[in-house]
Amino acid sequence: MNTIDADWLEELNDAMRSLFAIKAHDPELDQRLLISYYDLEPREAAVAIGNDYDLDRSEAIWPPAGLVWNS
């Protein structure tokens, strides 16, 4: 079985965060499922995952008005 490259997974997480405001592990995608997207570039994989799992795009302005950050 193939293993997921850490750099690819990090780029996928960045793409998932920017497109859907989640990380790859949030929709419970384990390595067994992620391997089917591994032949794609990370951003293409994120879009494909979003389409396959019917994720809503995060196109709203972030952070939303009125959000208070705790530091």
Side-chain angles (χ1 to χ4, degrees):
M1 180 175 179
N2 296 335
T3 58
I4 302 291
D5 178 50
D7 293 332
W8 184 89
L9 186 57
E10 184 177 338
E11 290 179 37
L12 176 67
N13 279 328
D14 291 343
M16 294 287 287
R17 197 175 306 114
S18 70
L19 293 170
F20 307 108
I22 61 172
K23 292 183 182 178
H25 68 271
D26 290 343
E28 298 183 19
L29 295 171
D30 61 8
Q31 185 155 333
R32 182 180 53 85
L33 293 173
L34 286 176
I35 203 74
S36 63
Y37 299 98
Y38 192 55
D39 61 329
L40 301 172
E41 292 297 317
R43 186 156 182 94
E44 293 174 7
V47 170
I49 291 167
N51 288 335
D52 292 349
Y53 290 89
D54 198 26
L55 300 175
D56 290 328
R57 294 283 301 264
S58 173
E59 296 183 35
I61 297 173
W62 187 257
L67 180 68
V68 177
W69 291 97
N70 292 330
S71 21

